[in-house]
Amino acid sequence: MSEWHVVWVPDPGRWGTLPEAGVLGVEDLPTAVERIGLMPGDPVFIAPDFTIDSDLLEFVLSKHFRFLARETKRNYATDIRILLTFLSSRGIDWRRASEQDRLNYRTWRCDAPQNPERISGAKWNREAAAFTRLFKWARVSPRPVDASRREDRAADSVSARVSWLTPRTWSLWSDVGLRGHVRDGVPSWGWDARTEARNTSFVQFILSSGLRRQEGGSLLTFELPAQRLQHGRYQHGQLAGAVTRSKNGRTFYTSLD
């Protein structure tokens, strides 16, 4: 068994009942986590033998990782976990990874026919940035991955692939994917519509406002727009800086329809 795992520090009030805390010999797990210095949303890397890697824990607490945006932390930690599993499956300690190991990993991630989930150049460049941050912090020399080196970046990277839907296609996607309709435009037999109104309302709100899912999902009911503009079909609301990627609050607009 060589698979690494990542667990995430939950937000306050969401710890729930944790029977594993007693097994670990920790009576008050939230207090223990706070004493270490971990913040909500921070990752904790669990080795294949179910121990916590102390070096990776120090990396998470370091300035190289601590001040990243929460979503960036999640993305980088997920990327690093896959690399750790790859190295562990070959009996290689991540602290002793070589440039050849990086080359083997990149080939497997991007080009190997045996890998059914090969990634794009843009995705590799993000992973390379995560690995560079880790190996730079750990002072691994020579550094296996360095995103500043041209050979460690993908030449075929495309920053974005945008596919636009026509209004008719969007309506069909919404009806089938969220409302459980069939081609005839009626709900399919046995469709469970308990969450239909919630799901469709959220998707329409995100679509018309342009908010990110995390931004829209963080809004409380009293923060939803309620005041209609004097001339037009839009309402406006305020988004707190704490939930944005830039950490700057802003005004957003959403349709009444």
Side-chain angles (χ1 to χ4, degrees):
M1 184 176 181
S2 57
E3 185 175 1
W4 283 71
H5 298 274
V6 176
V7 295
W8 310 92
V9 177
D11 291 313
R14 294 188 177 181
W15 284 93
T17 303
L18 297 174
E20 64 269 30
V23 176
L24 294 173
V26 180
E27 296 298 332
D28 189 347
L29 192 54
T31 301
V33 168
E34 184 179 358
R35 187 182 303 117
I36 294 171
L38 290 168
M39 305 289 289
D42 280 349
V44 178
F45 293 90
I46 309 297
D49 61 357
F50 300 105
T51 60
I52 295 176
D53 188 298
S54 59
D55 285 342
L56 290 172
L57 184 59
E58 288 186 24
F59 168 66
V60 170
L61 295 172
S62 73
K63 64 180 181 181
H64 294 263
F65 193 90
R66 158 138 292 182
F67 300 109
L68 296 175
R70 184 165 180 167
E71 188 63 22
T72 302
K73 289 182 179 180
R74 179 170 290 273
N75 291 336
Y76 279 15
T78 302
D79 295 339
I80 291 171
R81 183 194 69 82
I82 299 174
L83 174 65
L84 294 172
T85 296
F86 178 87
L87 294 173
S88 181
S89 67
R90 287 155 177 76
I92 302 169
D93 187 287
W94 67 268
R95 304 163 189 81
R96 295 174 175 80
S98 66
E99 189 172 349
Q100 183 62 49
D101 296 325
R102 184 269 305 167
L103 181 61
N104 294 340
Y105 180 71
R106 180 175 176 179
T107 300
W108 176 72
R109 285 291 275 162
C110 302
D111 304 311
Q114 302 92 330
N115 182 5
E117 299 180 351
R118 294 187 295 275
I119 62 175
S120 65
K123 177 66 168 63
W124 168 257
N125 285 346
R126 191 191 81 181
E127 292 192 4
F131 306 153
T132 300
R133 193 173 289 266
L134 171 62
F135 289 125
K136 183 177 180 181
W137 170 84
R139 298 182 179 178
V140 175
S141 182
R143 198 173 299 160
V145 184
D146 190 337
S148 65
R149 297 192 302 237
R150 179 178 298 179
E151 61 268 26
D152 284 355
R153 300 194 306 271
D156 61 344
S157 174
V158 178
S159 59
R161 290 184 175 89
V162 179
S163 297
W164 295 97
L165 297 179
T166 63
R168 181 178 180 182
T169 303
W170 167 259
S171 178
L172 177 63
W173 178 89
S174 181
D175 287 344
V176 174
L178 300 176
R179 296 189 172 95
H181 288 190
V182 295
R183 287 186 178 181
D184 297 333
V186 296
S188 61
W189 184 85
W191 169 247
D192 184 356
R194 288 181 301 117
T195 59
E196 178 181 327
R198 182 200 67 185
N199 294 344
T200 53
S201 297
F202 180 75
V203 170
Q204 290 294 346
F205 172 66
I206 295 298
L207 176 69
S208 68
S209 65
L211 297 177
R212 296 183 176 91
R213 286 176 298 173
Q214 180 175 322
E215 294 172 343
S218 71
L219 293 175
L220 302 176
T221 53
F222 62 82
E223 294 178 301
L224 294 173
Q227 183 176 357
R228 182 172 182 168
L229 299 181
Q230 185 175 2
H231 302 290
R233 49 187 286 266
Y234 290 91
Q235 296 174 323
H236 69 281
Q238 293 294 322
L239 193 66
V243 300
T244 68
R245 191 172 283 183
S246 65
K247 301 306 177 187
N248 293 316
R250 69 177 187 272
T251 300
F252 68 91
Y253 299 87
T254 185
S255 173
L256 292 171
D257 299 335

